[in-house]
Coordinates of all heavy atoms in Angstrom, one line a residue:
V222 N 55.6 -18.1 16.2 CA 54.5 -17.5 16.9 C 54.9 -17.3 18.4 O 56.0 -17.7 18.9 CB 53.3 -18.6 16.9 CG1 52.8 -18.7 15.5 CG2 53.7 -19.9 17.4
A223 N 54.0 -16.7 19.2 CA 54.3 -16.3 20.6 C 54.3 -17.5 21.5 O 55.2 -17.7 22.3 CB 53.2 -15.4 21.1
D224 N 53.3 -18.5 21.3 CA 53.3 -19.6 22.2 C 52.4 -20.7 21.5 O 51.9 -20.5 20.4 CB 52.7 -19.2 23.5 CG 51.4 -18.4 23.5 OD1 50.7 -18.6 22.6 OD2 51.2 -17.6 24.4
A225 N 52.1 -21.7 22.3 CA 51.2 -22.8 21.8 C 49.8 -22.4 21.4 O 49.2 -22.8 20.4 CB 51.2 -24.0 22.8
A226 N 49.2 -21.5 22.3 CA 47.9 -21.0 22.0 C 48.0 -20.2 20.7 O 46.9 -20.3 19.9 CB 47.3 -20.1 23.2
D227 N 49.0 -19.4 20.4 CA 49.0 -18.6 19.2 C 49.2 -19.5 18.0 O 48.6 -19.3 16.9 CB 50.2 -17.6 19.3 CG 50.2 -16.5 18.3 OD1 49.1 -16.1 17.8 OD2 51.4 -16.0 18.0
L228 N 50.0 -20.6 18.2 CA 50.1 -21.7 17.1 C 48.7 -22.3 16.8 O 48.4 -22.4 15.7 CB 51.2 -22.7 17.4 CG 51.3 -23.8 16.4 CD1 51.9 -23.2 15.1 CD2 52.4 -24.7 16.9
Q229 N 48.0 -22.6 17.8 CA 46.7 -23.2 17.7 C 45.7 -22.2 16.9 O 45.1 -22.6 15.9 CB 46.1 -23.6 19.0 CG 44.7 -24.2 18.8 CD 44.1 -24.5 20.2 OE1 44.3 -23.9 21.2 NE2 43.2 -25.5 20.1
R230 N 45.7 -20.9 17.3 CA 44.9 -20.0 16.6 C 45.4 -19.9 15.2 O 44.5 -19.8 14.2 CB 45.1 -18.6 17.2 CG 44.4 -17.4 16.6 CD 45.0 -16.1 16.8 NE 46.4 -16.0 16.5 CZ 47.0 -15.9 15.3 NH1 46.3 -15.9 14.2 NH2 48.3 -15.8 15.1
L231 N 46.6 -19.8 14.9 CA 47.1 -19.7 13.5 C 46.6 -20.9 12.7 O 46.1 -20.7 11.5 CB 48.7 -19.7 13.4 CG 49.3 -19.5 12.1 CD1 49.0 -18.2 11.4 CD2 50.8 -19.8 12.1
V232 N 46.8 -22.1 13.2 CA 46.4 -23.3 12.5 C 44.9 -23.3 12.1 O 44.5 -23.5 11.1 CB 46.9 -24.6 13.1 CG1 46.3 -25.8 12.5 CG2 48.3 -24.7 13.1
L233 N 44.1 -23.0 13.2 CA 42.7 -23.2 13.0 C 42.1 -21.9 12.2 O 41.2 -22.2 11.4 CB 42.0 -23.1 14.4 CG 42.3 -24.4 15.2 CD1 41.7 -24.3 16.6 CD2 41.8 -25.7 14.6

Side-chain angles (χ1 to χ4, degrees):
V222 295
D224 53 29
D227 196 26
L228 180 59
Q229 181 183 29
R230 176 208 51 80
L231 179 69
V232 169
L233 293 175

